[in-house]
Amino acid sequence: MVNYVNSLSVEEQLRIARERFPEVVEAKKPERTPEAKTLPPLPSVEKYGTVRTRFAPNPDFYIHLGNARPAILSYEYARMYKGTFILRFEDTDPRIKTPLPEAYRAIREDLRWLGLTWDEEYIQSLRMEIYYRVAKELISRGGAYVDLCPREEFRKIKAQRRPCPHRDQDPSKSLELFDRMLSGYFGEGEAVLRVKTDLESPDPSLIDWVAFRIIDTSSTPHPLTGDKYVVWPTYNFAAGVDDKLMGVTHILRGKEHAVNTLKQLYLYKALGWEYPEVVNLGRLKLEGMILSKSLIKSTIRRSAGRVSVDDLRFGTLRSLRRRGILPEVIREIILEVGVKVSDATVSWENIASLNRKRIDLMTPRLMAVVDPVEVAIWEIPETPNLRVLRLSNHPSNESLGVRTVEVGSGNPVRVYLSRDDVEILLKEGSIRLLEFCNIALKSYSRELIEAYFTGVDVEQARRSGLKIVQWVPARDFARVSIVKPEGLKLRVLKAFAESSLLRQREGSIVQFVRVGFIKVEKIESKLRNVKVVFMHD
RNA sequence: GCCGCGGUAGUAUAGCCCGGUCAAGUAUGCGGGCCUUUCGAGCCCGUGACCCGGGUUCAAAUCCCGGCCGCGGCACCA
């Protein structure tokens, strides 16, 4: 039974516990829920009568905590107003931000892991004909023109705030040129479709921005459509059009898109559309972790296969998940940070604290010693319950059951302690072994540390102010390597743990007493080796 | 450099729109105590912030102006 429970993932344990022992789970967190963070109202909801939000990632890579902000907020708002949440893949750049084939699936998985479900899903590269149609409509209305100026040439003209020679050509001429673009007549860089904007704008990037450009997909094919299309919409065209066509009422996106709203406004005006409400969100940093997509990518590339996307130093959702952070905690943090334009640095301490509170009660505890040192203990009585210990897996949650730790018969009894704790024993002269007995130092040399039994009474230990430390019997233990990120380095701690660790299931969470919470990654039963990830204190 | 947006304790956030109830609330961190066979959890106590300078006002974290600092944008990227 115990092993069965322990073999479940934490999520499963929590779920079952909530169903079967609600009093245990709920008792621990009394009035924590009342002050659950609520979102401020969205602007102008009455105007639309409904709320439709979207999360629109570029599937060129896996998503990270920073992407979770707009994703979770968009989702939460859609649910809050009983509206619709849309997932839209923005993959209209096969050349520079080439879509990663596996990213479409990975992003869906990560969102589901976060607990987000979407009502509609779209992939922009599969909607090309729609964009072409809208483009032609826009050209007919005189809102855009095909520009044949070389890039540098246009830049110069723009700098002088003057119209380029193609700007005033008749829409029918642009329409004809656009068709020629579609036919593959032009090569990369030879023609673009530009949206007419205010030529006087102080921001040059705004002026007659590019709506479509030519990408030679025979040399840089799109993973979904291959070389079928050579004329590709830019972000501002595709996203702008889709937000309208999909009936998006509220756009929540990073503040780096602020100028894009301005650009798209020209498009909307020309088409006679009304722009949705926009909420700009600040950037998120995760203390001590790498969130930059480009840095993560380059680190992986340079590592020659040794670093993967779920590396503990990255702020990817894959990494957080591997680290044993519950999705609810990420949601909680995002809601806490809230809907603001200002940037925020999420502190790891905060995440760890929230996570710890959620898992503690459902997580079995066992003993592990880091940097183990053997200690031989003499004079331990042959009393059965001093030779085979029955230990509770959690002092305040009996449903986690008990386990036994056998120290063997005869004397001395050999155990391992953490090097740090051995230092305490050497310095203080005595120490208490958790749930076992009190011992005092007998002798020590470089090869051997010997101690003797001084009693089983915990009260006596307390009165004497003995430090209580965890230990592992030398006759039966598992070897553990604990991967722990320290700054931007990964350390691997060598430890020995109670052999019951071998009966855990891969993926389960355990608390190593006085060490911290760990997540089991790999168990090699025959070799008695276990690989774990250090989660947090 | 130019344009735009921000600035409440170590971190995050509430309050700012509609000035007084804010000698600023909450979480986390930190210090201490209780409890506990963990350096965890729980409970209790404490610590710590309105970027700076002017102005308006009886009264400013809240309104106005200037400065400083930070962030974002300045692509045929998203």
Side-chain angles (χ1 to χ4, degrees), chain A residues 38 324 442 507:
Chain A
T38 50
K442 182 167 175 257

Side-chain angles (χ1 to χ4, degrees), chain A residues 156-203:
Chain A
K156 275 182 211 152
I157 296 169
K158 180 166 78 173
Q160 299 163 31
R161 298 296 187 272
R162 286 178 31 235
C164 103
H166 309 275
R167 196 178 205 261
D168 295 320
Q169 73 203 357
D170 195 83
S172 61
K173 175 71 178 168
S174 283
L175 237 23
E176 188 194 316
L177 289 171
F178 189 66
D179 277 331
R180 198 174 290 185
M181 282 170 74
L182 294 176
S183 75
Y185 177 83
F186 296 110
E188 280 189 8
E190 290 176 1
V192 292
L193 182 75
R194 290 184 181 277
V195 172
K196 287 188 195 172
T197 69
D198 183 358
L199 288 181
E200 300 300 324
S201 173
D203 182 349

Side-chain angles (χ1 to χ4, degrees), chain A residues 175-346:
Chain A
L175 237 23
E176 188 194 316
L177 289 171
F178 189 66
D179 277 331
R180 198 174 290 185
M181 282 170 74
L182 294 176
S183 75
Y185 177 83
F186 296 110
E188 280 189 8
E190 290 176 1
V192 292
L193 182 75
R194 290 184 181 277
V195 172
K196 287 188 195 172
T197 69
D198 183 358
L199 288 181
E200 300 300 324
S201 173
D203 182 349
S205 81
L206 221 57
I207 296 174
D208 286 12
W209 54 270
V210 172
F212 285 84
R213 77 292 208 193
I214 290 162
I215 294 173
D216 178 7
T217 40
S218 62
S219 60
T220 50
H222 188 284
L224 261 37
T225 61
D227 61 358
K228 186 174 175 191
Y229 303 105
V230 291
V231 178
W232 288 86
T234 57
Y235 167 80
N236 279 304
F237 189 87
V241 166
D242 277 348
D243 283 335
K244 172 65 188 178
L245 265 33
M246 293 170 192
V248 172
T249 61
H250 298 263
I251 300 170
L252 292 101
R253 63 180 162 208
K255 65 178 179 185
E256 65 272 21
H257 287 295
V259 207
N260 293 326
T261 302
L262 265 28
K263 291 187 184 178
Q264 291 170 218
L265 243 20
Y266 289 101
L267 176 70
Y268 272 62
K269 205 175 163 201
L271 260 5
W273 295 347
E274 201 173 331
Y275 206 76
E277 305 296 323
V278 180
V279 177
N280 291 126
L281 302 170
R283 321 255 296 183
L284 230 45
K285 271 188 273 197
L286 182 50
E287 188 186 67
M289 291 196 198
I290 302 172
L291 269 189
S292 153
K293 198 191 259 186
S294 56
L295 188 54
I296 292 173
K297 279 175 148 176
S298 65
T299 304
I300 291 175
R301 202 178 323 113
R302 277 198 306 260
S303 76
R306 271 174 293 119
V307 176
S308 54
V309 68
D310 62 357
D311 189 281
L312 266 14
R313 294 163 293 185
F314 298 154
T316 53
L317 294 181
R318 303 302 253 227
S319 163
L320 263 10
R321 178 178 178 176
R322 181 178 171 211
R323 189 86 184 258
I325 300 304
L326 301 180
E328 301 94 290
V329 168
I330 296 186
R331 179 181 171 276
E332 209 173 340
I333 284 282
I334 296 296
L335 294 186
E336 166 70 23
V337 169
V339 192
K340 310 214 309 180
V341 246
S342 44
D343 300 347
T345 305
V346 174

